[in-house]
PDB file of all heavy atoms in Angstrom:
ATOM      1  N   VAL A 720      13.638  19.227   9.546  1.00  0.00           N
ATOM      2  CA  VAL A 720      12.825  19.717  10.663  1.00  0.00           C
ATOM      3  C   VAL A 720      13.731  20.220  11.779  1.00  0.00           C
ATOM      4  O   VAL A 720      13.512  21.302  12.339  1.00  0.00           O
ATOM      5  CB  VAL A 720      11.878  18.604  11.181  1.00  0.00           C
ATOM      6  CG1 VAL A 720      11.254  19.010  12.506  1.00  0.00           C
ATOM      7  CG2 VAL A 720      10.796  18.329  10.155  1.00  0.00           C
ATOM      8  N   ILE A 721      14.777  19.462  12.079  1.00  0.00           N
ATOM      9  CA  ILE A 721      15.703  19.903  13.130  1.00  0.00           C
ATOM     10  C   ILE A 721      16.366  21.221  12.734  1.00  0.00           C
ATOM     11  O   ILE A 721      16.444  22.157  13.524  1.00  0.00           O
ATOM     12  CB  ILE A 721      16.767  18.817  13.401  1.00  0.00           C
ATOM     13  CG1 ILE A 721      16.101  17.605  14.072  1.00  0.00           C
ATOM     14  CG2 ILE A 721      17.885  19.357  14.284  1.00  0.00           C
ATOM     15  CD1 ILE A 721      16.976  16.369  14.132  1.00  0.00           C
ATOM     16  N   ALA A 722      16.819  21.282  11.469  1.00  0.00           N
ATOM     17  CA  ALA A 722      17.487  22.506  11.018  1.00  0.00           C
ATOM     18  C   ALA A 722      16.557  23.705  11.148  1.00  0.00           C
ATOM     19  O   ALA A 722      16.939  24.743  11.703  1.00  0.00           O
ATOM     20  CB  ALA A 722      17.928  22.360   9.559  1.00  0.00           C
ATOM     21  N   LEU A 723      15.315  23.558  10.694  1.00  0.00           N
ATOM     22  CA  LEU A 723      14.386  24.695  10.765  1.00  0.00           C
ATOM     23  C   LEU A 723      14.006  25.012  12.210  1.00  0.00           C
ATOM     24  O   LEU A 723      13.776  26.175  12.551  1.00  0.00           O
ATOM     25  CB  LEU A 723      13.132  24.416   9.936  1.00  0.00           C
ATOM     26  CG  LEU A 723      13.214  24.817   8.470  1.00  0.00           C
ATOM     27  CD1 LEU A 723      11.918  24.503   7.748  1.00  0.00           C
ATOM     28  CD2 LEU A 723      13.533  26.308   8.309  1.00  0.00           C
ATOM     29  N   ALA A 724      13.969  23.995  13.061  1.00  0.00           N
ATOM     30  CA  ALA A 724      13.653  24.262  14.466  1.00  0.00           C
ATOM     31  C   ALA A 724      14.776  25.055  15.113  1.00  0.00           C
ATOM     32  O   ALA A 724      14.534  26.013  15.849  1.00  0.00           O
ATOM     33  CB  ALA A 724      13.433  22.951  15.211  1.00  0.00           C
ATOM     34  N   VAL A 725      16.026  24.668  14.809  1.00  0.00           N
ATOM     35  CA  VAL A 725      17.163  25.348  15.433  1.00  0.00           C
ATOM     36  C   VAL A 725      17.307  26.781  14.925  1.00  0.00           C
ATOM     37  O   VAL A 725      17.507  27.711  15.702  1.00  0.00           O
ATOM     38  CB  VAL A 725      18.471  24.559  15.180  1.00  0.00           C
ATOM     39  CG1 VAL A 725      19.677  25.364  15.625  1.00  0.00           C
ATOM     40  CG2 VAL A 725      18.420  23.226  15.919  1.00  0.00           C
ATOM     41  N   ILE A 726      17.185  26.973  13.599  1.00  0.00           N
ATOM     42  CA  ILE A 726      17.415  28.328  13.082  1.00  0.00           C
ATOM     43  C   ILE A 726      16.141  29.146  12.981  1.00  0.00           C
ATOM     44  O   ILE A 726      16.197  30.372  12.905  1.00  0.00           O
ATOM     45  CB  ILE A 726      18.105  28.310  11.703  1.00  0.00           C
ATOM     46  CG1 ILE A 726      17.294  27.470  10.734  1.00  0.00           C
ATOM     47  CG2 ILE A 726      19.533  27.830  11.806  1.00  0.00           C
ATOM     48  CD1 ILE A 726      17.711  27.654   9.321  1.00  0.00           C
ATOM     49  N   GLY A 727      14.989  28.498  12.984  1.00  0.00           N
ATOM     50  CA  GLY A 727      13.743  29.242  12.803  1.00  0.00           C
ATOM     51  C   GLY A 727      12.925  29.401  14.058  1.00  0.00           C
ATOM     52  O   GLY A 727      12.322  30.446  14.283  1.00  0.00           O
ATOM     53  N   ILE A 728      12.895  28.364  14.906  1.00  0.00           N
ATOM     54  CA  ILE A 728      12.008  28.439  16.065  1.00  0.00           C
ATOM     55  C   ILE A 728      12.736  28.883  17.327  1.00  0.00           C
ATOM     56  O   ILE A 728      12.244  29.740  18.063  1.00  0.00           O
ATOM     57  CB  ILE A 728      11.316  27.067  16.288  1.00  0.00           C
ATOM     58  CG1 ILE A 728      10.381  26.842  15.110  1.00  0.00           C
ATOM     59  CG2 ILE A 728      10.535  27.067  17.598  1.00  0.00           C
ATOM     60  CD1 ILE A 728       9.252  25.928  15.380  1.00  0.00           C
ATOM     61  N   ALA A 729      13.939  28.342  17.540  1.00  0.00           N
ATOM     62  CA  ALA A 729      14.687  28.739  18.733  1.00  0.00           C
ATOM     63  C   ALA A 729      14.883  30.265  18.801  1.00  0.00           C
ATOM     64  O   ALA A 729      14.619  30.860  19.852  1.00  0.00           O
ATOM     65  CB  ALA A 729      16.028  28.002  18.783  1.00  0.00           C
ATOM     66  N   PRO A 730      15.291  30.919  17.711  1.00  0.00           N
ATOM     67  CA  PRO A 730      15.421  32.379  17.777  1.00  0.00           C
ATOM     68  C   PRO A 730      14.099  33.067  18.112  1.00  0.00           C
ATOM     69  O   PRO A 730      14.098  34.062  18.839  1.00  0.00           O
ATOM     70  CB  PRO A 730      15.885  32.766  16.370  1.00  0.00           C
ATOM     71  CG  PRO A 730      16.528  31.553  15.842  1.00  0.00           C
ATOM     72  CD  PRO A 730      15.778  30.399  16.417  1.00  0.00           C
ATOM     73  N   LEU A 731      12.987  32.517  17.603  1.00  0.00           N
ATOM     74  CA  LEU A 731      11.700  33.145  17.900  1.00  0.00           C
ATOM     75  C   LEU A 731      11.402  33.072  19.397  1.00  0.00           C
ATOM     76  O   LEU A 731      10.935  34.049  19.999  1.00  0.00           O
ATOM     77  CB  LEU A 731      10.574  32.472  17.111  1.00  0.00           C
ATOM     78  CG  LEU A 731      10.559  32.717  15.607  1.00  0.00           C
ATOM     79  CD1 LEU A 731       9.346  32.050  14.969  1.00  0.00           C
ATOM     80  CD2 LEU A 731      10.559  34.206  15.299  1.00  0.00           C
ATOM     81  N   LEU A 732      11.708  31.918  19.987  1.00  0.00           N
ATOM     82  CA  LEU A 732      11.490  31.786  21.432  1.00  0.00           C
ATOM     83  C   LEU A 732      12.374  32.774  22.187  1.00  0.00           C
ATOM     84  O   LEU A 732      11.958  33.388  23.170  1.00  0.00           O
ATOM     85  CB  LEU A 732      11.788  30.349  21.886  1.00  0.00           C
ATOM     86  CG  LEU A 732      10.842  29.303  21.309  1.00  0.00           C
ATOM     87  CD1 LEU A 732      11.271  27.901  21.727  1.00  0.00           C
ATOM     88  CD2 LEU A 732       9.409  29.581  21.763  1.00  0.00           C
ATOM     89  N   TYR A 733      13.593  32.929  21.701  1.00  0.00           N
ATOM     90  CA  TYR A 733      14.500  33.888  22.329  1.00  0.00           C
ATOM     91  C   TYR A 733      13.965  35.311  22.186  1.00  0.00           C
ATOM     92  O   TYR A 733      14.085  36.128  23.110  1.00  0.00           O
ATOM     93  CB  TYR A 733      15.897  33.762  21.714  1.00  0.00           C
ATOM     94  CG  TYR A 733      16.939  34.546  22.469  1.00  0.00           C
ATOM     95  CD1 TYR A 733      17.240  34.217  23.789  1.00  0.00           C
ATOM     96  CD2 TYR A 733      17.597  35.622  21.880  1.00  0.00           C
ATOM     97  CE1 TYR A 733      18.184  34.943  24.503  1.00  0.00           C
ATOM     98  CE2 TYR A 733      18.542  36.343  22.584  1.00  0.00           C
ATOM     99  CZ  TYR A 733      18.832  36.005  23.885  1.00  0.00           C
ATOM    100  OH  TYR A 733      19.760  36.729  24.596  1.00  0.00           O
ATOM    101  N   ALA A 734      13.344  35.602  21.032  1.00  0.00           N
ATOM    102  CA  ALA A 734      12.749  36.934  20.835  1.00  0.00           C
ATOM    103  C   ALA A 734      11.624  37.163  21.837  1.00  0.00           C
ATOM    104  O   ALA A 734      11.480  38.265  22.377  1.00  0.00           O
ATOM    105  CB  ALA A 734      12.229  37.087  19.409  1.00  0.00           C
ATOM    106  N   VAL A 735      10.844  36.112  22.099  1.00  0.00           N
ATOM    107  CA  VAL A 735       9.775  36.244  23.099  1.00  0.00           C
ATOM    108  C   VAL A 735      10.384  36.548  24.462  1.00  0.00           C
ATOM    109  O   VAL A 735       9.927  37.440  25.181  1.00  0.00           O
ATOM    110  CB  VAL A 735       8.916  34.958  23.156  1.00  0.00           C
ATOM    111  CG1 VAL A 735       7.925  35.019  24.308  1.00  0.00           C
ATOM    112  CG2 VAL A 735       8.180  34.760  21.838  1.00  0.00           C
ATOM    113  N   LEU A 971       4.771  39.103  13.982  1.00  0.00           N
ATOM    114  CA  LEU A 971       4.729  37.659  13.715  1.00  0.00           C
ATOM    115  C   LEU A 971       3.311  37.125  13.885  1.00  0.00           C
ATOM    116  O   LEU A 971       2.821  36.350  13.059  1.00  0.00           O
ATOM    117  CB  LEU A 971       5.691  36.946  14.660  1.00  0.00           C
ATOM    118  CG  LEU A 971       5.749  35.428  14.523  1.00  0.00           C
ATOM    119  CD1 LEU A 971       6.370  35.041  13.193  1.00  0.00           C
ATOM    120  CD2 LEU A 971       6.540  34.808  15.659  1.00  0.00           C
TER     121      LEU A 971
ATOM    122  N   LEU B 698       3.027  20.207   9.346  1.00  0.00           N
ATOM    123  CA  LEU B 698       4.385  20.390   8.857  1.00  0.00           C
ATOM    124  C   LEU B 698       4.369  21.290   7.618  1.00  0.00           C
ATOM    125  O   LEU B 698       5.145  22.236   7.494  1.00  0.00           O
ATOM    126  CB  LEU B 698       4.976  19.025   8.503  1.00  0.00           C
ATOM    127  CG  LEU B 698       6.493  18.961   8.409  1.00  0.00           C
ATOM    128  CD1 LEU B 698       7.115  19.257   9.752  1.00  0.00           C
ATOM    129  CD2 LEU B 698       6.935  17.595   7.908  1.00  0.00           C
ATOM    130  N   TRP B 701       3.685  24.787   8.546  1.00  0.00           N
ATOM    131  CA  TRP B 701       4.870  25.392   9.149  1.00  0.00           C
ATOM    132  C   TRP B 701       5.830  25.879   8.053  1.00  0.00           C
ATOM    133  O   TRP B 701       6.364  26.988   8.113  1.00  0.00           O
ATOM    134  CB  TRP B 701       5.539  24.365  10.059  1.00  0.00           C
ATOM    135  CG  TRP B 701       6.743  24.879  10.764  1.00  0.00           C
ATOM    136  CD1 TRP B 701       6.923  26.140  11.262  1.00  0.00           C
ATOM    137  CD2 TRP B 701       7.928  24.160  11.046  1.00  0.00           C
ATOM    138  NE1 TRP B 701       8.155  26.235  11.845  1.00  0.00           N
ATOM    139  CE2 TRP B 701       8.791  25.028  11.720  1.00  0.00           C
ATOM    140  CE3 TRP B 701       8.346  22.849  10.797  1.00  0.00           C
ATOM    141  CZ2 TRP B 701      10.054  24.644  12.156  1.00  0.00           C
ATOM    142  CZ3 TRP B 701       9.598  22.472  11.234  1.00  0.00           C
ATOM    143  CH2 TRP B 701      10.443  23.353  11.906  1.00  0.00           C
ATOM    144  N   THR B 704       4.439  29.063   6.407  1.00  0.00           N
ATOM    145  CA  THR B 704       4.584  30.289   7.206  1.00  0.00           C
ATOM    146  C   THR B 704       6.029  30.761   7.217  1.00  0.00           C
ATOM    147  O   THR B 704       6.279  31.955   7.276  1.00  0.00           O
ATOM    148  CB  THR B 704       4.145  30.112   8.676  1.00  0.00           C
ATOM    149  OG1 THR B 704       3.864  28.761   8.899  1.00  0.00           O
ATOM    150  CG2 THR B 704       2.970  30.976   9.006  1.00  0.00           C
ATOM    151  N   ASN B 705       6.972  29.828   7.149  1.00  0.00           N
ATOM    152  CA  ASN B 705       8.367  30.236   7.096  1.00  0.00           C
ATOM    153  C   ASN B 705       8.637  31.157   5.924  1.00  0.00           C
ATOM    154  O   ASN B 705       9.456  32.069   6.008  1.00  0.00           O
ATOM    155  CB  ASN B 705       9.272  29.009   6.989  1.00  0.00           C
ATOM    156  CG  ASN B 705       9.921  28.704   8.313  1.00  0.00           C
ATOM    157  OD1 ASN B 705      10.620  29.541   8.867  1.00  0.00           O
ATOM    158  ND2 ASN B 705       9.653  27.532   8.838  1.00  0.00           N
ATOM    159  N   ILE B 708       7.172  34.759   7.060  1.00  0.00           N
ATOM    160  CA  ILE B 708       7.688  35.500   8.223  1.00  0.00           C
ATOM    161  C   ILE B 708       8.675  36.574   7.795  1.00  0.00           C
ATOM    162  O   ILE B 708       9.563  36.340   6.989  1.00  0.00           O
ATOM    163  CB  ILE B 708       8.362  34.533   9.215  1.00  0.00           C
ATOM    164  CG1 ILE B 708       7.302  33.662   9.880  1.00  0.00           C
ATOM    165  CG2 ILE B 708       9.143  35.307  10.265  1.00  0.00           C
ATOM    166  CD1 ILE B 708       7.869  32.614  10.790  1.00  0.00           C
ATOM    167  N   VAL B 712      12.024  39.768  12.076  1.00  0.00           N
ATOM    168  CA  VAL B 712      11.610  39.040  13.275  1.00  0.00           C
ATOM    169  C   VAL B 712      12.720  38.081  13.715  1.00  0.00           C
ATOM    170  O   VAL B 712      12.973  37.901  14.894  1.00  0.00           O
ATOM    171  CB  VAL B 712      10.299  38.270  13.005  1.00  0.00           C
ATOM    172  CG1 VAL B 712       9.894  37.426  14.193  1.00  0.00           C
ATOM    173  CG2 VAL B 712       9.187  39.240  12.644  1.00  0.00           C
ATOM    174  N   LEU B 713      13.395  37.464  12.740  1.00  0.00           N
ATOM    175  CA  LEU B 713      14.497  36.551  13.055  1.00  0.00           C
ATOM    176  C   LEU B 713      15.807  37.290  13.282  1.00  0.00           C
ATOM    177  O   LEU B 713      16.670  36.822  14.013  1.00  0.00           O
ATOM    178  CB  LEU B 713      14.679  35.543  11.922  1.00  0.00           C
ATOM    179  CG  LEU B 713      13.607  34.469  11.804  1.00  0.00           C
ATOM    180  CD1 LEU B 713      13.804  33.682  10.524  1.00  0.00           C
ATOM    181  CD2 LEU B 713      13.675  33.536  13.004  1.00  0.00           C
ATOM    182  N   PRO B 716      16.656  38.353  17.291  1.00  0.00           N
ATOM    183  CA  PRO B 716      17.240  37.332  18.164  1.00  0.00           C
ATOM    184  C   PRO B 716      18.515  36.729  17.595  1.00  0.00           C
ATOM    185  O   PRO B 716      19.440  36.419  18.338  1.00  0.00           O
ATOM    186  CB  PRO B 716      16.138  36.274  18.268  1.00  0.00           C
ATOM    187  CG  PRO B 716      15.268  36.496  17.090  1.00  0.00           C
ATOM    188  CD  PRO B 716      15.331  37.953  16.803  1.00  0.00           C
ATOM    189  N   PHE B 717      18.581  36.566  16.268  1.00  0.00           N
ATOM    190  CA  PHE B 717      19.779  35.977  15.670  1.00  0.00           C
ATOM    191  C   PHE B 717      21.002  36.840  15.939  1.00  0.00           C
ATOM    192  O   PHE B 717      22.091  36.336  16.174  1.00  0.00           O
ATOM    193  CB  PHE B 717      19.585  35.803  14.155  1.00  0.00           C
ATOM    194  CG  PHE B 717      19.995  34.461  13.667  1.00  0.00           C
ATOM    195  CD1 PHE B 717      19.106  33.403  13.706  1.00  0.00           C
ATOM    196  CD2 PHE B 717      21.276  34.228  13.183  1.00  0.00           C
ATOM    197  CE1 PHE B 717      19.476  32.146  13.262  1.00  0.00           C
ATOM    198  CE2 PHE B 717      21.657  32.979  12.749  1.00  0.00           C
ATOM    199  CZ  PHE B 717      20.759  31.929  12.787  1.00  0.00           C
ATOM    200  N   ILE B 720      21.983  36.238  19.609  1.00  0.00           N
ATOM    201  CA  ILE B 720      22.556  34.901  19.774  1.00  0.00           C
ATOM    202  C   ILE B 720      23.954  34.844  19.145  1.00  0.00           C
ATOM    203  O   ILE B 720      24.908  34.375  19.763  1.00  0.00           O
ATOM    204  CB  ILE B 720      21.636  33.827  19.144  1.00  0.00           C
ATOM    205  CG1 ILE B 720      20.313  33.769  19.909  1.00  0.00           C
ATOM    206  CG2 ILE B 720      22.306  32.462  19.146  1.00  0.00           C
ATOM    207  CD1 ILE B 720      19.221  32.978  19.216  1.00  0.00           C
ATOM    208  N   THR B 739      16.547  29.539   6.452  1.00  0.00           N
ATOM    209  CA  THR B 739      15.157  29.767   6.865  1.00  0.00           C
ATOM    210  C   THR B 739      14.266  30.064   5.665  1.00  0.00           C
ATOM    211  O   THR B 739      13.087  29.766   5.696  1.00  0.00           O
ATOM    212  CB  THR B 739      15.018  30.935   7.864  1.00  0.00           C
ATOM    213  OG1 THR B 739      15.647  32.086   7.326  1.00  0.00           O
ATOM    214  CG2 THR B 739      15.597  30.587   9.199  1.00  0.00           C
TER     215      THR B 739
END
Side-chain angles (χ1 to χ4, degrees):
Chain A
V720 168
I721 291 168
L723 272 180
V725 171
I726 55 167
I728 293 204
L731 290 183
L732 295 176
Y733 190 63
V735 173
L971 179 68
Chain B
L698 199 64
W701 182 37
T704 7
N705 257 302
I708 290 176
V712 176
L713 288 171
F717 227 86
I720 295 167
T739 53

